[in-house]
């Protein structure tokens, strides 16, 4: 108990040094938390994808369209339950910085393939009925204060012209892994206008989403779909939704790996920061430790004294870091374009990992000073000039 | 008077790099209970070394040292530590108080190793601080005290556990004349009134005068 008091007094001996060490650990823990959160957010998108959905896209590139006529052909393949299709619309809503997915879909089939987008039945009914209606995610409705009946004017870019959509439904994501930031409208509405203004683009579909009844047949069905359109003017590439997502992030995966590594490098940095402080403290107190031993205090007492101080500093550093992580994550999310990371949370596992790392670093950082204090002979310690 | 300290044929050499530096050569010394002995000699003659051996914070290469009936060279590290905590009081030239602890807490430190209750510890600490005349300063930190006062607190710490012997290594070496006189008077009183056996290393002839016996160390030999 008295030792504990001494631990506190020792930690407060060089207030500025201890404070800077605590701050250093805090910042490192905060950086760790942010990096891990970004990495986790990155993979959350893949985790959320369903195994019973295949994506069929143009074989050369995602940006080339497929003919609408493929729809019925795909639907005939045994094992295919539902075929739906989408187009990437984008456009400018309010200004260029408002980034979230805006896509054309088939209202009749989309929600059967994506049951994780939950729309109240009455809203669903009006949405399906009106050609220029759209459905927006809960998060988008909240962010732009959109209510049922509001008009969303969008300046087209991929599909030029001025577009106006009426919000007729707001979907709720089924759970927190589901993106609540999408805007969907009738593919037919888009197609009608293309027929009039750019007939060459009429009947274009961005990609097909194929719901299959047995996920274990995904490879076989994918092959069958692609075989159908072999040697046609638009060959296809079909893969599971998960593989599709992964191919998207493959390019960025090097960065993600780097961030992953960085987050653990940071733990090494915490160790050096704290280790340095503890070694300085132990060196200054060489003579004091010799006095302790002279008075009959045991090695165990010194271990408690040194490890206790290190642990105390890492405890406050870790705590401070975690406290700072919350506002940082919120700030980071606020500064990022909406929809980049639909799911961006500080996971409990990240907090536990950060806290446990800081504390174990506290123990490890005290090993060298402890070894030094125990290894120094009393007579040498007493002769030490601090 | 029976001898409380018996040093027999003790030799000590320090190893530096690859060769040994002999410091003490076959030293023998008997100190009776209640003695106040001054150990003098030129710098580097081995005074501190001999004192450390008697106090059990260093070990001889050869010979035996018996203090209060215990052959301390035969004790292992943890027994020796325990033995020191109850049998030896230390006074150093540079006081060696812990700067983060008050006078009270510094004196209480060795008592934390005993089974005394908090209340008993408080009584002990206040009693010894009264002996050294610093009870009114017990809540002060070392840096708020003068050198002489710090050394008095250090003496209070040394006698708090009522040890068998008191060892002092140049206790007045860092003090001005009047502070040094106070310390010497205090040590004399501890010897006379409290019957403490004291072994004191000193360079100061005036300090040595207060002792009953003066021994000289020179080139590792006792005279
Ligand atoms: N821990 C040690 N390691 C190595 N050499 C030591 C050690 N302690 C003392 N010595 C050497 O032993 C010799 C005697 O040292 P000691 O400290 O006993 O002398 P002293 O008589 O106390 O001198 P002073 O009056 O200067 O305090 C010196 O040459 C010193 O350098
Ligand atoms: Mg000396």
């Amino acid at each position: 108990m008295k030792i504990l008091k001494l631990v506190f007094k020792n930690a407060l001996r060089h207030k500025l040094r201890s404070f800077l060490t605590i701050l250093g650990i805090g910042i490192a823990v905060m950086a760790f938390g942010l990096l891990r959160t970004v990495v986790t957010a990155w993979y959350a998108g893949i985790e959320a994808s369903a195994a019973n959905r295949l994506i069929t896209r143009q074989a050369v590139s995602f940006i080339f369209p497929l003919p609408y006529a493929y729809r019925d052909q795909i639907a005939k393949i045994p094992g295919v339950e539902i075929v739906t299709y989408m187009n990437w619309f984008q456009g400018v809503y309010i200004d260029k910085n408002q980034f979230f997915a805006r896509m054309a879909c088939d209202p009749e089939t989309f929600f059967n393939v994506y049951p994780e987008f939950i729309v109240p039945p009455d809203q669903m009914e009006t949405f399906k009925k009106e050609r220029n209606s759209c459905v927006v995610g809960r998060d988008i409705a909240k962010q732009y204060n959109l209510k049922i009946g509001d008009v969303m004017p969008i300046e087209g870019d991929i599909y030029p012209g001025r577009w106006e959509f009426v919000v007729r439904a707001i979907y709720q994501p089924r759970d927190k892994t589901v993106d609540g930031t999408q805007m969907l409208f009738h593919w037919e509405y888009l197609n009608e206008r293309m027929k009039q203004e750019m007939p060459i683009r009429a009947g274009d579909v961005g990609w097909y989403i194929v719901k299959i009844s047995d996920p274990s047949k995904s490879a076989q069905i994918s092959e069958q779909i692609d075989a159908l359109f072999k040697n046609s003017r638009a060959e296809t590439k079909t893969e599971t939704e998960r593989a599709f997502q992964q191919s998207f992030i493959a390019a960025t995966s090097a960065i993600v790996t780097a961030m992953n590594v960085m987050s653990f490098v940071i733990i090494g940095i915490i160790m050096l920061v704290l280790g340095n402080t503890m070694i300085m403290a132990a060196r200054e107190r060489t003579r004091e430790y010799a006095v302790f031993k002279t008075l009959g205090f045991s090695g165990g007492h010194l271990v408690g004294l040194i490890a206790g101080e290190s642990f105390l500093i890492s405890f406050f550093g870790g705590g401070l870091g975690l406290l700072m992580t919350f506002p940082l994550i919120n700030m980071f999310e606020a500064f990022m374009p909406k929809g980049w990371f639909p799911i961006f949370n500080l996971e409990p596992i990240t907090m536990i990992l950060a806290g446990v790392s800081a504390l174990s670093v506290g123990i490890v950082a005290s090993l060298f000073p402890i070894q030094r204090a125990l290894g120094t002979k009393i007579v040498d310690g007493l002769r030490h000039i601090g | 008077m029976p001898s409380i300290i018996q040093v027999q044929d003790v030799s000590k050499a320090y190893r530096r790099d690859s060769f040994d530096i002999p410091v003490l050569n076959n030293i023998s010394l008997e100190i009776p209970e209640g003695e106040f002995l001054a150990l003098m000699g030129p710098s580097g003659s081995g005074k501190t070394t001999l004192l450390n051996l008697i106090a059990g914070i260093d070990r001889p290469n050869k010979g035996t040292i018996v203090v209060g009936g215990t052959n301390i060279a035969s004790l292992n590290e943890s027994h020796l530590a325990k033995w020191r905590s109850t049998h030896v009081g230390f006074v150093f030239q540079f006081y060696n108080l812990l700067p983060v602890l008050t006078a009270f807490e510094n004196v209480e430190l060795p008592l934390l190793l005993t089974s005394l209750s908090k209340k008993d510890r408080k009584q002990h600490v206040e009693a010894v601080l009264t002996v050294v005349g610093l009870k009114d300063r017990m809540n002060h930190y070392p840096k708020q005290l003068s050198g002489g006062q710090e050394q008095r607190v250090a003496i209070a710490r040394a006698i708090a556990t009522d040890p068998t012997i008191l060892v002092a290594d140049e206790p007045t070496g860092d003090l001005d004349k009047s502070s040094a006189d106070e310390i010497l008077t205090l040590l004399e009183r501890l010897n006379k009134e409290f019957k403490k056996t004291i072994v004191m290393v000193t360079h100061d002839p005036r300090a040595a005068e207060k002792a009953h016996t003066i021994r000289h160390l020179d080139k590792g030999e006792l005279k």
Side-chain angles (χ1 to χ4, degrees):
Chain A
M1 186 217 77
K2 280 277 172 183
I3 292 283
L4 197 68
K5 188 173 169 190
L6 200 53
V7 164
F8 267 95
K9 286 190 162 195
N10 274 339
L12 289 175
R13 204 185 278 205
H14 291 281
K15 291 193 180 61
L16 182 63
R17 183 166 79 193
S18 298
F19 171 75
L20 290 176
T21 306
I22 287 173
L23 192 66
I25 294 171
I27 290 172
V29 163
M30 185 177 75
F32 177 85
L34 179 63
L35 280 178
R36 302 259 11 122
T37 302
V38 171
V39 171
T40 313
W42 214 289
Y43 286 110
I46 303 170
E47 291 307 314
S49 58
N52 63 352
R53 287 196 289 248
L54 306 178
I55 309 280
T56 299
R57 60 177 169 99
Q58 221 272 359
V60 178
S61 167
F62 180 69
I63 62 168
F64 296 124
L66 293 169
Y68 176 72
Y70 284 10
R71 179 189 178 203
D72 292 338
Q73 283 176 269
I74 296 172
K76 278 190 202 119
I77 292 173
V80 170
E81 257 180 36
I82 309 169
V83 180
T84 191
Y85 47 97
M86 300 180 85
N87 282 30
W88 186 257
F89 177 78
Q90 196 49 37
V92 177
Y93 176 59
I94 302 176
D95 62 57
K96 277 206 167 102
N97 295 322
Q98 312 309 315
F99 186 93
F100 55 93
R102 295 184 277 270
M103 296 178 288
C105 74
D106 172 31
E108 294 303 326
T109 51
F110 178 83
F111 295 96
N112 298 329
V113 177
Y114 288 95
E116 62 262 47
F117 289 59
I118 297 163
V119 179
D122 53 327
Q123 295 183 13
M124 180 72 92
E125 212 175 309
T126 34
F127 168 64
K128 282 182 179 174
K129 252 191 264 169
E130 285 180 37
R131 261 180 1 108
N132 66 340
S133 64
C134 71
V135 51
V136 294
R138 173 197 62 193
D139 298 347
I140 290 298
K142 197 169 156 222
Q143 191 187 352
Y144 297 98
N145 196 23
L146 289 168
K147 285 176 285 296
I148 305 289
D150 285 355
V151 174
M152 281 180 86
I154 295 182
E155 199 57 43
D157 40 24
I158 302 172
Y159 299 93
R162 185 173 172 81
W163 301 75
E164 279 186 352
F165 303 97
V166 184
V167 177
R168 283 300 173 206
I170 293 170
Y171 76 83
Q172 300 291 324
R174 188 183 50 205
D175 53 60
K176 70 185 183 69
T177 66
V178 178
D179 184 0
T181 69
Q182 300 191 5
M183 179 275 203
L184 301 156
F185 61 92
H186 291 217
W187 181 84
E188 206 51 59
Y189 182 59
L190 177 71
N191 201 43
E192 286 298 323
R193 192 151 153 185
M194 285 300 110
K195 271 184 197 163
Q196 288 167 18
E197 296 175 8
M198 304 172 105
I200 193 167
R201 290 176 72 180
D204 282 355
V205 164
W207 64 95
Y208 287 96
I209 304 101
V210 181
K211 183 166 181 255
I212 57 177
S213 43
D214 182 358
S216 71
K217 297 234 166 63
S218 61
Q220 188 197 325
I221 296 175
S222 297
E223 273 175 37
Q224 282 176 283
I225 295 173
D226 292 344
L228 272 182
F229 310 112
K230 194 109 193 130
N231 300 322
S232 72
R233 81 178 160 90
E235 293 193 357
T236 60
K237 178 170 177 189
T238 304
E239 56 198 347
T240 59
E241 187 175 74
R242 185 162 300 182
F244 178 71
Q245 298 269 22
Q246 267 162 348
S247 73
F248 246 122
I249 66 162
T252 38
S253 76
I255 298 172
V256 176
T257 307
M259 290 215 274
N260 230 333
V261 172
M262 270 307 294
S263 67
F264 289 98
V265 166
I266 283 171
I267 293 174
I269 295 174
I270 306 178
M271 187 147 10
L272 292 179
V273 168
L274 184 57
N276 184 48
T277 296
M278 289 314 298
I279 286 169
M280 280 205 286
R283 174 160 306 171
E284 288 162 7
R285 297 177 201 157
T286 304
R287 202 205 270 245
E288 280 173 35
Y289 294 146
V291 171
F292 269 108
K293 287 200 250 179
T294 302
L295 294 180
F297 283 86
S298 67
H301 287 113
L302 291 187
V303 170
L305 215 53
I306 300 169
E309 184 177 349
S310 184
F311 195 77
L312 192 71
I313 291 178
S314 65
F315 178 80
F316 279 105
L320 178 73
L322 285 179
L323 283 183
M324 294 192 299
T325 306
F326 288 98
L328 180 75
I329 298 265
N330 287 339
M331 245 164 57
F332 191 83
E333 199 183 3
F335 275 112
M336 267 189 328
K338 187 83 188 162
W340 268 28
F341 293 114
I343 306 122
F344 199 75
N345 293 319
L346 183 57
E347 299 280 320
I349 182 71
T350 301
M351 292 193 280
I352 292 168
L353 212 58
V356 168
S357 305
L359 294 185
S360 35
V361 158
I363 303 292
V364 174
S366 64
L367 291 183
F368 181 71
I370 284 174
Q371 181 252 322
R372 216 183 119 101
L374 295 186
T376 307
K377 284 205 253 158
I378 297 178
V379 288
D380 293 331
L382 288 176
R383 283 159 61 95
H384 183 90
I385 316 282
Chain B
M1 273 267 178
S3 294
I4 197 153
I5 300 170
Q6 294 159 289
V7 177
Q8 225 161 51
D9 294 327
V10 162
S11 293
K12 175 76 186 175
Y14 283 111
R15 240 192 133 64
R16 194 170 289 164
D17 299 328
S18 58
F19 54 95
D20 288 345
I21 303 165
V23 179
L24 299 175
N25 297 319
N26 285 316
I27 299 270
S28 292
L29 173 68
E30 300 243 334
I31 303 173
E33 192 167 355
E35 172 72 292
F36 186 173
L37 180 127
L39 206 51
M40 297 190 74
S43 185
S45 57
K47 305 181 296 294
T48 298
T49 303
L50 180 56
L51 197 71
N52 288 346
L53 292 174
I54 291 170
I57 57 176
D58 204 357
R59 290 171 184 280
N61 299 117
K62 181 177 143 302
T64 58
I65 298 167
V66 179
V67 179
T70 308
N71 179 0
I72 59 173
S74 70
L75 298 176
N76 69 21
E77 281 308 319
S78 65
H79 282 120
L80 193 59
K82 202 161 278 165
W83 176 81
R84 280 197 304 272
S85 71
T86 53
H87 290 92
V88 191
F90 292 85
V91 181
F92 306 93
Q93 179 177 355
F94 298 108
Y95 335 125
N96 282 339
L97 298 176
L98 292 192
V100 289
L101 300 183
T102 61
F104 182 96
E105 290 166 334
N106 265 292
V107 176
E108 192 187 18
L109 209 53
L111 295 175
L112 295 178
L113 295 171
T114 66
S115 55
L116 290 179
S117 69
K118 196 178 157 136
K119 195 169 133 254
D120 288 344
R121 287 202 304 265
K122 187 165 184 281
Q123 250 172 19
H124 270 65
V125 174
E126 289 181 355
V128 287
L129 279 172
T130 308
V131 170
V132 301
L134 284 174
K135 181 159 181 282
D136 54 332
R137 308 297 293 269
M138 67 182 187
N139 291 322
H140 289 201
Y141 286 90
K143 65 167 181 285
Q144 298 169 314
L145 301 172
S146 72
Q149 289 169 332
E150 277 194 71
Q151 193 61 300
R152 275 148 68 194
V153 173
I155 290 172
R157 179 178 68 184
I159 60 174
T161 54
D162 195 18
T164 315
I165 60 169
L166 202 58
V167 299
D169 194 351
E170 302 191 36
T172 59
D174 198 45
L175 297 175
D176 62 42
K177 189 175 164 301
S178 72
S179 300
D181 283 343
E182 272 175 34
I183 296 300
L184 291 169
T185 310
L186 180 57
L187 288 175
E188 214 178 4
R189 219 183 114 212
L190 290 175
N191 175 249
K192 284 218 181 83
E193 270 179 47
F194 298 87
K195 308 283 176 246
K196 289 282 157 222
T197 306
I198 300 177
V199 184
M200 174 178 74
V201 167
T202 186
H203 277 297
D204 180 2
R206 289 181 346 96
E209 260 173 40
K210 303 272 182 180
H212 305 161
T213 318
I214 302 178
R215 300 297 297 268
H216 288 271
L217 248 186
D218 198 1
K219 299 196 181 78
E221 318 263 344
L222 203 54
K223 299 203 179 74

